[in-house]
Each structure stands twice: as structure tokens, then as C-alpha cells.
Amino acid sequence: MLTVDFQTLALGSGQTLLDVGCGEGRHTLAAYLKSGVTAVGVDLGLADLETARGRIADMEAYGPEGEIEFLQGDATALPFPDNHFDHVICSEVLEHIPNFIAVIGELNRVLKPGGNLCVSVPRAWPERFCWWLSKEYYNTPGGHIRIFNAGFLRQEIYRHGLKYYRQHGAHALHVPYWWLRCLLWQEGEEHPWVAAYHRFLVWDLMEQPALTRWIDKLCNPWMGKSVVMYFNKPRGVSP
């Protein structure tokens, strides 16, 4: 389940991509499939990194044509030199980190001039419903600690000299799942309604029927769970 559109990011052969806060590696592994791409995932969580590394072997059936590596690292102090990657992504990460300003600075620092950055965060209004429905949703260790206004975040990235060029929504069909999950938080994922909707999402992901793809596309601009923003680092911009 990808949030980032690699075509919009302009990821191509011979390029390097850094996935900051890669978690279990969904975007890093997808980039690994592309010809000539070197994909690096970095995350603070060792358990997630072990899961991600374990999935590299699973990708062999799809004939990966790139290179891949997973490393442990802090998003506020990335272990890479300045101007090192052609593309950087940070998907569904900033809402978890207290000093998100430092993370934005690091994303800019390691991105080459001329390269592209993609940042995604939860859309504000569906997220507010989640917070209203369940305090546990945002009080869970490692959970969301803020609700982002997309315009505010865009301005913070502007401050580093990056130029915005596109925005889209993603995963509209996932919004009702999280509302149900929050409403029935005490019952957990085993509640029949929550479990049934989860089965629907898995079916939709695997089968991708035309009707649900059309509904998702129609709803993403205003209801997509994620707001996905793309920026270019102009040549001549310092780290």
C-alpha cells in the first residue's frame, strides 16, 4: 500500500532514494523493484527494521532490479552527508515526532540540489474525528502527537528554500476504518465491524476492483487519509 507516487517524485534509473521513518519498509521495498534505483530505508525502531529486512527475500519473486539497504537512525540527525540523495521521502512520520522542524531540516540537508522531496501527513479533519472518538488513539506510546494543517507544514518546508510542485490525497477508503477503530477502541481489532472492514480493505488492495478504485480516486482530494506533498530543491540552495 503506497502513499507516495514514484512517478510524481520522478524516481528514475541510476538514482538514490532515502525513505526516512521507513517502518516496515513498504516504500523502500517498492523502490527496490525499479531498475537502477538504490533505495535506503532508515528508522529508529529495530523491530520494524528487522521486519523490513526480512521482506527483502519476499521481493525476489517480483524480480527487483535495484539495490536496497535498511539502517537504524534518528530522523532528527540522519547518518548521511549533505546533498547525498536524489530523492527523499518522509511518509506518515512527522506527526509522531516532537521536533519535526529538525526533521525537515535534515530532509533538506541530505537531499541533492535538483532533487525531489515527498512528505505525507494525516489529513487534518479526518484526524480530528479520530482524536474526538478516542483519547487512546493519540495517547498510545509512539502515536500521533499533533494534527497538521497542510498549509502550515508547506510553509515550514518553504522556509528551507524548497519549491512545492504538487499535492494529492491518498487512502480515502481507510478513513472509515480508523473512525470505526477509534469508536470501538476498547473492543480492539477483533470487533466484528472493525474486522469486517479490515477484510474489505485487504480484498480491495489485492483485487483492486474498478468500482472501489473509482470511489477512492473521487474521494482522495478531499477525504484521503493522507495529504501527500512534493517539493523540489532548486540548484544553489544550501543544506
Side-chain angles (χ1 to χ4, degrees), residues 96-162:
H96 298 273
I97 299 179
N99 190 359
F100 74 94
I101 297 295
V103 178
I104 293 173
E106 284 292 275
L107 301 177
N108 176 62
R109 182 184 67 80
V110 301
L111 180 63
K112 291 180 181 179
N116 295 327
L117 167 69
C118 179
V119 172
S120 76
V121 293
R123 188 181 297 273
W125 76 263
E127 185 78 351
R128 289 193 183 97
F129 270 99
C130 289
W131 284 48
W132 178 70
L133 289 167
S134 173
K135 292 182 179 179
E136 289 84 357
Y137 172 79
Y138 58 87
N139 281 329
T140 301
H144 298 183
I145 62 173
R146 69 174 56 81
I147 298 174
F148 274 108
N149 174 279
F152 165 78
L153 180 57
R154 194 160 53 242
Q155 288 298 324
E156 289 300 323
I157 297 173
Y158 280 159
R159 294 179 191 276
H160 293 274
L162 280 77

Side-chain angles (χ1 to χ4, degrees), residues 34 53 85 88 109 112 134 138 185 192 199 208 220:
K34 296 188 175 296
R53 289 170 181 143
F85 292 95
V88 176
R109 182 184 67 80
K112 291 180 181 179
S134 173
Y138 58 87
W185 192 272
R199 287 194 299 271
Q208 298 193 12
N220 272 333

Side-chain angles (χ1 to χ4, degrees), residues 18-52:
L18 175 64
D19 183 3
V20 177
C22 65
E24 296 182 351
R26 59 193 176 109
H27 287 108
T28 320
L29 291 161
Y32 172 48
L33 295 176
K34 296 188 175 296
S35 177
V37 170
T38 298
V40 179
V42 62
D43 201 280
L44 197 58
L46 280 175
D48 282 347
L49 287 172
E50 286 305 310
T51 299

Side-chain angles (χ1 to χ4, degrees), residues 13 21 31 40 52 55 61 64 66 77-78 105 119 131 145 163 203 209 216 227 231-233:
S13 181
V40 179
R55 289 177 173 167
L78 292 169
V119 172
W131 284 48
I145 62 173
K163 304 299 183 183
W203 170 81
D216 197 55
V227 176
F231 302 83
N232 175 261
K233 182 175 181 177

